[in-house]
């Protein structure tokens, strides 16, 4: 069931002047600019039973874990960790089997991982994840730049950094996570600019990874990545 709303009612999203198409297989709804033909938004199918229960929070959190933390990692000392989005747990010798949570700010999920009561800002770079220890007081207000002493540098041990790019149509948010989404977090202005530049480089690498794929999924994801890269280059962020 797809529901559109009155664009004048104050909702955050308003998609006007669009040509709307179903993807092959009808697993996504695609919005193209009616004038220029560029893909501007993608909606994907989710389990409607949870939406009916006003429980879409799990989708936001699982997406963040799956695409920002996805992969297998090891520390420089050889301890291993994998973050399981479906179970919201860790696996491996670094943390053991322990529940994880995502931090929030103003009711929106942030790239903040909560493990055993400790808070870590997630910084994704090519081939690695840096978990930066933070000193937040609660998961309800994960904003600011209060760094704590405990941090982890996690190196990827698997070779496929973006396994879903040729397998499923991804939303803008999922692609942002794949590219290493970084709001201001614990960074100063110069660090933020550096991370935005690195995100643009990541888009280039993502495009390179699927350039030879001829599937409809890869074609749609390429269009979305190119649009995100253009916004990043032009410093247009939301």
């Amino acid at each position: 069931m797809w529901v559109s709303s009155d664009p004048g009612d104050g909702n955050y999203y308003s998609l006007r002047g669009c040509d709307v198409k179903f993807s092959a297989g009808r697993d996504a709804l695609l919005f193209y600019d009616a004038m220029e033909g560029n893909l501007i938004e993608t909606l994907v199918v989710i389990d409607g039973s949870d939406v009916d229960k006003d429980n879409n929070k799990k989708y936001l959190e699982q997406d963040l874990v799956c695409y920002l933390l996805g992969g297998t990692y090891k520390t420089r000392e050889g301890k291993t960790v994998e973050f399981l989005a479906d179970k919201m747990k860790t696996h491996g010798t670094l943390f053991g089997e322990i529940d994880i949570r995502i931090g929030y700010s103003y009711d929106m999920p942030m790239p903040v991982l909560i493990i055993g009561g400790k808070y870590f800002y997630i910084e994704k770079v090519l081939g690695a994840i840096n978990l930066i220890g933070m000193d937040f007081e609660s998961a309800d207000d994960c904003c600011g730049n209060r760094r704590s002493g405990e941090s982890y540098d996690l190196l990827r041990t698997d070779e496929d950094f973006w396994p879903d790019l040729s397998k499923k149509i991804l939303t803008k948010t999922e692609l942002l996570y794949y590219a290493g989404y970084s709001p201001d977090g614990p960074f100063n202005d110069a660090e933020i600019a550096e991370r935005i530049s690195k995100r643009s480089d990541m888009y280039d690498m993502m495009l390179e990874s699927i350039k030879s794929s001829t599937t409809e999924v890869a074609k749609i994801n390429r269009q979305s990545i190119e649009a995100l890269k253009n916004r990043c280059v032009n410093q247009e962020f939301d």
Side-chain angles (χ1 to χ4, degrees), residues 119-182:
Y119 296 74
F120 300 93
Y121 190 90
I122 306 164
E123 180 192 15
K124 182 175 185 175
V125 294
L126 185 65
I129 288 288
N130 300 319
L131 297 182
I132 304 171
M134 300 298 291
D135 192 25
F136 301 124
E137 294 181 358
S138 76
D140 298 326
D141 185 24
C142 290
C143 58
N145 57 1
R146 301 178 299 276
R147 304 192 193 201
S148 67
E150 188 173 29
S151 298
Y152 296 96
D153 297 330
L154 306 178
L155 305 176
R156 288 285 289 263
T157 59
D158 51 336
E159 296 182 357
D160 191 353
F161 295 157
W162 306 286
D164 284 337
L165 284 182
S166 57
K167 296 178 183 177
K168 60 187 292 190
I169 297 172
L170 302 179
T171 65
K172 178 179 69 175
T173 299
E174 290 165 341
L175 290 170
L176 278 170
Y177 290 156
Y178 250 175
Y181 168 67
S182 300

Side-chain angles (χ1 to χ4, degrees), residues 26-227:
R26 292 189 168 232
D27 53 357
L29 193 61
L30 310 171
F31 294 81
Y32 291 89
D33 183 280
M35 297 295 291
E36 300 182 6
N38 299 322
L39 179 61
I40 60 173
E41 189 62 87
T42 303
L43 303 182
V44 298
V45 175
I46 61 175
D47 181 0
S49 62
D50 283 324
V51 176
D52 292 341
K53 298 173 184 176
D54 195 27
N55 188 29
N56 60 343
K57 180 178 176 180
K58 80 169 188 177
Y59 292 101
L60 300 175
E61 296 183 353
Q62 287 181 349
D63 262 7
L64 199 150
V65 174
C66 181
Y67 296 105
L68 197 57
L69 286 169
T72 56
Y73 304 86
K74 67 177 180 180
T75 65
R76 300 186 188 280
E77 296 74 33
K79 292 187 177 182
T80 62
V81 63
E82 181 178 8
F83 302 95
L84 308 178
D86 56 339
K87 299 178 180 178
M88 294 298 284
K89 290 181 177 288
T90 61
H91 173 75
T93 58
L94 179 60
F95 299 110
E97 306 286 332
I98 187 170
D99 292 341
I100 58 176
R101 294 188 294 127
I102 296 299
Y104 278 72
S105 179
Y106 301 105
D107 295 324
M108 291 297 295
M110 295 289 289
V112 173
L113 188 66
I114 306 172
I115 308 177
K118 296 181 179 179
Y119 296 74
F120 300 93
Y121 190 90
I122 306 164
E123 180 192 15
K124 182 175 185 175
V125 294
L126 185 65
I129 288 288
N130 300 319
L131 297 182
I132 304 171
M134 300 298 291
D135 192 25
F136 301 124
E137 294 181 358
S138 76
D140 298 326
D141 185 24
C142 290
C143 58
N145 57 1
R146 301 178 299 276
R147 304 192 193 201
S148 67
E150 188 173 29
S151 298
Y152 296 96
D153 297 330
L154 306 178
L155 305 176
R156 288 285 289 263
T157 59
D158 51 336
E159 296 182 357
D160 191 353
F161 295 157
W162 306 286
D164 284 337
L165 284 182
S166 57
K167 296 178 183 177
K168 60 187 292 190
I169 297 172
L170 302 179
T171 65
K172 178 179 69 175
T173 299
E174 290 165 341
L175 290 170
L176 278 170
Y177 290 156
Y178 250 175
Y181 168 67
S182 300
D184 38 9
F187 308 123
N188 59 39
D189 290 344
E191 291 172 318
I192 293 169
E194 179 185 1
R195 278 152 182 79
I196 290 173
S197 174
K198 288 180 179 178
R199 192 194 306 167
S200 181
D201 293 340
M202 198 88 84
Y203 288 139
D204 285 335
M205 295 174 191
M206 292 164 71
L207 290 169
E208 178 72 17
S209 73
I210 56 172
K211 70 176 183 179
S212 60
S213 178
T214 59
T215 66
E216 183 71 11
V217 166
K219 175 185 175 182
I220 293 170
N221 284 335
R222 273 199 298 270
Q223 292 175 335
S224 295
I225 295 168
E226 287 168 352

